[in-house]
Amino acid sequence: MKRLFHVSDVHFGAEDPEAIAWFSDLVATEKPDAVIMTGDLTMRATKSEFAAGGAWLRSLGVPVTLEVGNHDIPYYWDPFRRLFSPYQRYAAVEKMIEQPLDLVGITVVPLKTTARAQWRWNWSKGRVSPGSLSRALTLIEQAPRGNLIFVAAHHPLIEGGTKGTAKTRHGDAALTALAAAGAHAVLTGHVHDPFDVPIDRNGWTIRMIGAGTLSKRVRHSPPAFNEIRVDGSRFETLSRTLDTQPKQPISEDSRPAAV
C-alpha cells in the first residue's frame, strides 16, 4: 500500500504553527510516499513567506510537488509585478513547482488553474487555459499504462458542495477531457474544507478530492490534510484533522475507478 499526504492552503504569513508542526511530525513518523501541495503556500506572495514555506517543504524529506495558488502571485495592489513578473519570488520553491511525480503505479500530473488577469472582477477564482490543459493531457498520455493518474490543481474544477467556491472557468470542460484521457482523480485546495466526491463522465468515474487548510483561515473544519491510501487500483481518502477525532474516511464512493 502507498500513502500520499495531500495538503493545501498553508498560507505562510497566516499559517497555524501548531498545525504545521503536527503535519511535519506525522510526515517524519509515518513517512508517506509523497506530499502533494495544491497551492496557496503563502498569504501575500512575499520573499519571506516563500522562504519559510520552501524551508518547511524541504524539511519534510519526502518527494514534494507544489501547485501555485491564487495567493502565490502578487496581489491586485501590485499590478505591474502581477502582470509582468509574477514568479520572480519563487526562488525558494521553484524546483518543486508543477513537478510531475512518478511513483510505482502512480503518476501525479500538474494542472495550473491560477490566472494573472481575467475578464471578471474576482481574479482569485480558477481558470484552466488551453495550454495548461494540453500540457496535463500530454503528461497523462506519457504515463505508464495501468498507473493511477492523479491531477494536482489549486482550484476545484467544478463545485464540490463546500462553503467556499472556485467558479473555475473552463473547469467543467477540463474535467471531461481529463476523464476521457483516463485520469482517476483531481486533487485541489482553495476552499479550505475536505471532500472526495465521484463524478461520472461518459461512463468513467473521476474523483474530485479537496484538502483542508493548515492555516488560521479555517472554515467548516479544523486544520486538516488528506491521507490518500492506494492499494493497487483502489484508493480512498481519509481526512486527518487537528482535533480529537480519529482519521475519517471521506470518500463518497471508494470503489476502484473504471478501467
Side-chain angles (χ1 to χ4, degrees), residues 17-214:
E18 182 183 3
I20 296 293
W22 167 69
F23 182 83
S24 297
D25 288 346
L26 288 175
V27 172
T29 302
E30 301 183 14
K31 296 179 173 58
D33 294 275
V35 168
I36 302 169
M37 168 70 192
T38 53
D40 281 359
L41 179 64
T42 70
M43 186 65 193
R44 293 288 184 264
T46 66
K47 287 184 179 180
S48 62
E49 289 171 357
F50 275 119
W56 174 66
L57 290 175
R58 288 190 296 274
S59 76
L60 297 177
V62 298
V64 174
T65 186
L66 169 65
E67 289 305 301
V68 173
N70 54 284
H71 279 263
D72 297 324
I73 57 178
Y75 260 50
Y76 311 129
W77 54 74
D78 193 354
F80 183 87
R81 195 163 63 87
R82 182 182 180 96
L83 294 174
F84 299 107
S85 57
Y87 311 120
Q88 68 177 182
R89 294 182 175 176
Y90 288 3
V93 297
E94 63 181 347
K95 292 183 180 180
M96 306 176 200
I97 293 175
E98 296 185 352
Q99 290 300 308
L101 288 180
D102 283 305
L103 308 171
V104 176
I106 302 168
T107 297
V108 181
V109 171
L111 175 68
K112 182 180 176 183
T113 60
T114 56
R116 286 175 281 184
Q118 301 184 56
W119 291 110
R120 55 176 164 176
W121 288 111
N122 192 342
W123 292 355
S124 72
K125 300 302 184 183
R127 179 179 181 272
V128 181
S129 71
S132 295
L133 179 59
S134 177
R135 287 190 290 273
L137 294 174
T138 296
L139 290 170
I140 292 173
E141 185 178 3
Q142 294 171 349
R145 185 175 296 276
N147 271 20
L148 286 174
I149 307 296
F150 295 127
V151 177
H154 178 59
H155 298 85
L157 299 186
I158 61 175
E159 303 308 324
T162 55
K163 178 181 179 181
T165 62
K167 298 182 180 179
T168 302
R169 286 189 166 169
H170 314 302
D172 196 295
L175 189 66
T176 298
L178 293 168
H184 297 88
V186 180
L187 278 53
T188 61
H190 189 66
V191 297
H192 293 203
D193 285 313
F195 60 87
D196 179 355
V197 295
I199 306 294
D200 181 84
R201 290 295 162 99
N202 300 317
W204 180 269
T205 299
I206 185 168
R207 302 253 290 278
M208 294 203 320
I209 300 176
T213 178
L214 296 185

